[in-house]
Amino acid sequence: GVFRGITTLAFALCLKRLDERNPKIGRKVIGLDVSDEYAAIGKSYWKKAGVGEYIDFRVGDAKESLDVLIEDMTGKEDLDGGVDLCFIDADKQSYDDYYEKCLKLTKKGGLICVDNTIWGGRVLIPDLVLDAIVEKNNGGAAWKDKADSARGTRAIKELTKKIFNDERIERVSFLTMADGVIICRKK
């Protein structure tokens, strides 16, 4: 997700600097978000920073957008197997789907980063408690957000375990800065 576009801006500024050293490579940050509403804030800063040309912002369902990217990149030898880096920061319940699609997109030696892996400390809540919150969801609208958060927390916990045991990647770092980031390198 792009949300307000700060991470997108940071990546685009890096690409701009790389382009100054080695122009004409056609580097891009591809940002996906379900809505343009919040990204509008970031777009004004992208323009001010002079990085708009480095950003390919796409609005829509991220799973479908990732499928399109995978299809577009399949069989193109000049892409060396895909993208250099995927940064996952979207609806937590779909993190595993995004991770699997990013594995297809990311070239050998590329990085996959997963944001919000501490999730405000909620990943420390025992699974039994999370399950009880989800079951309580049918207690009315007041529990819906709590149940969604509990499902997201379970998804983050399950993906974290999966990543640390995934033989398709060779290095994993868990950064405890901010709300937690996992960085892994594809074999």
Side-chain angles (χ1 to χ4, degrees), residues 1-185:
V2 170
F3 193 46
R4 291 196 174 106
I6 294 170
T7 304
T8 306
L9 173 61
F11 286 138
L13 285 168
C14 291
L15 292 185
K16 182 178 179 182
R17 188 164 183 185
L18 285 170
D19 217 27
E20 290 167 356
R21 294 181 186 160
N22 190 2
K24 306 293 183 211
I25 293 197
R27 298 174 175 100
K28 288 276 187 191
V29 174
I30 301 171
L32 309 176
D33 209 295
V34 71
S35 168
D36 191 35
E37 179 183 355
Y38 292 109
I41 296 166
K43 285 180 179 180
S44 66
Y45 290 100
W46 302 344
K47 186 176 180 179
K48 286 179 188 176
V51 296
E53 68 186 272
Y54 295 94
I55 300 170
D56 176 359
F57 177 64
R58 302 177 187 195
V59 177
D61 178 87
K63 292 178 205 168
E64 293 172 11
S65 297
L66 287 168
D67 286 338
V68 168
L69 285 169
I70 291 166
E71 187 178 313
D72 288 349
M73 293 185 182
T74 301
K76 294 186 179 177
E77 295 174 22
D78 59 324
L79 291 172
D80 191 23
V83 299
D84 296 308
L85 182 142
C86 287
F87 186 83
I88 302 170
D89 183 12
D91 67 296
K92 309 313 176 222
Q93 294 179 48
S94 298
Y95 263 27
D96 187 64
D97 290 329
Y98 299 141
Y99 175 72
E100 288 298 325
K101 291 176 188 300
C102 286
L103 275 170
K104 292 178 183 176
L105 277 172
T106 306
K107 68 182 180 181
K108 181 180 178 181
L111 300 177
I112 298 173
C113 303
V114 183
D115 200 17
N116 303 121
T117 51
I118 294 175
W119 197 224
R122 291 186 291 268
V123 295
L124 299 176
I125 299 171
D127 291 344
L128 287 172
V129 173
L130 295 171
D131 293 342
I133 292 169
V134 170
E135 287 178 28
K136 186 81 170 175
N137 182 34
N138 54 5
W143 281 93
K144 184 183 180 327
D145 289 342
K146 291 176 182 161
D148 287 346
S149 179
R151 285 185 196 96
T153 302
R154 284 296 301 260
I156 292 168
K157 291 172 74 169
E158 289 167 11
L159 180 60
T160 299
K161 289 176 192 171
K162 177 179 179 171
I163 288 172
F164 278 89
N165 294 302
D166 194 339
E167 295 190 15
R168 298 171 292 177
I169 57 174
E170 59 185 348
R171 298 194 191 273
V172 178
S173 296
F174 187 93
L175 305 180
T176 56
M177 60 183 238
D179 205 15
V181 179
I182 292 175
I183 303 173
C184 51
R185 184 174 172 200

